[in-house]
Amino acid sequence: MDGDGSDLSRKEARASTVARLEGGVVVSAQTHRPGGPLDDPDTLVRLAIAAELGGARGFRVAGPGVVELLRVRTALPIIGITKRLDLGHEVFITPTVADAVSLIDAGADIIAADASPQGRPADAFADIVAACHRRGVAVVADCATVEQGLTVAAGQEAPDMVATTMAGYTAETRSVTPPDLGMTAVLAAQLSVPVITEGGIWDPGGVEAAFAAGAYAVVVGSAVTDPERITRRMTGATRDATGPSSHRS
């Protein structure tokens, strides 16, 4: 239970932020290829704002710099992450308390972090949750399996939401093809916290299927903000890609 009024107000603030995502699409506006044409903070913010005009309910962006630029352009909830590949650990999505705090200071409303207990550089996931909650900021647990989602949600420092983000992207889930709607369905049925479906959503049918499985919100990334992959999907249907044309000139 909350220890005092300030704890209660922080909890209410987190719940209010989470409620703004309910039933909506969250757009992930991140660079999909380091050094690529979209690897530019201002460009990523423009993609996010364009997505807002299209009806996005919130954003997932990487890095304090992008969060800070986007914060002054939108009132929608921002889910902030860092990607710390430089640390050389398996867990690289917001792996430390310092990463989370830097995102909060930049203006993030929600922090997403890999909830895996293994392969961490230092701080436990629960430490990150506690640090965010002290600031009145909600946390999304990026999980790979049902078991992981159930475990973190049952912890003393529980996240405010659980997401299927890592399903299909860890050694133990390589056989999974995102989106893992089975994982969404099981977690939604067993958890009291909202479940977010993320990964592999490419069209409106995928969004509808995620909500039918019990998703509270759906994160869409490449299908909206990765022109290279979108274009490859289209050019894959051209005559050059499918073989010689049967039409004669």
Side-chain angles (χ1 to χ4, degrees):
M1 297 179 61
D2 297 293
D4 54 37
S6 61
D7 286 342
L8 180 59
S9 64
R10 286 194 289 266
K11 186 174 182 179
E12 290 173 341
R14 301 195 323 260
S16 177
T17 300
V18 170
R20 296 177 65 192
L21 301 180
E22 183 175 8
V25 168
V26 174
V27 170
S28 176
Q30 300 178 45
T31 181
H32 300 279
R33 182 162 64 83
L38 299 184
D39 192 6
D40 172 72
D42 186 63
T43 299
L44 295 173
V45 168
R46 289 174 181 272
L47 284 172
I49 297 305
E52 179 173 352
L53 294 175
R57 194 69 61 83
F59 310 104
R60 178 171 167 130
V61 299
V66 178
V67 170
E68 187 172 16
L69 287 175
L70 181 56
R71 180 74 288 161
V72 298
R73 298 285 301 276
T74 185
L76 293 182
I78 299 173
I79 301 174
I81 68 169
T82 58
K83 289 187 175 180
R84 296 294 304 277
L85 296 170
D86 59 303
L87 299 179
H89 291 267
E90 184 178 352
V91 170
F92 63 88
I93 296 179
T94 322
T96 71
V97 169
D99 289 321
V101 170
S102 68
L103 291 164
I104 294 170
D105 288 344
D109 303 283
I110 301 167
I111 301 300
D114 189 332
S116 175
Q118 288 86 34
R120 309 192 68 86
D123 300 333
F125 176 72
D127 295 334
I128 295 171
V129 176
C132 292
H133 285 180
R134 284 195 294 270
R135 302 282 292 270
V137 173
V139 177
V140 179
D142 286 348
C143 296
T145 66
V146 167
E147 293 73 17
Q148 193 177 96
L150 295 175
T151 298
V152 297
Q156 186 172 0
E157 288 290 351
D160 304 87
M161 294 172 279
V162 171
T164 65
T165 313
M166 304 306 295
Y169 299 101
T170 64
E172 63 183 322
T173 63
R174 294 299 183 198
S175 61
V176 174
T177 300
D180 192 340
L181 298 185
M183 179 178 174
T184 296
V186 173
L187 290 176
Q190 296 192 34
L191 295 181
S192 59
V193 298
V195 176
I196 295 178
T197 299
E198 179 173 0
I201 304 289
W202 273 98
D203 53 38
V207 174
E208 292 173 356
F211 282 120
Y216 187 84
V218 177
V219 175
V220 177
S222 296
V224 175
T225 58
D226 188 354
E228 289 184 48
R229 289 187 66 184
I230 295 168
T231 303
R232 280 198 294 271
R233 286 168 62 87
M234 297 298 180
T235 58
T238 63
R239 291 176 179 176
D240 287 345
T242 58
S245 171
S246 60
H247 299 284
R248 297 182 182 275
S249 58

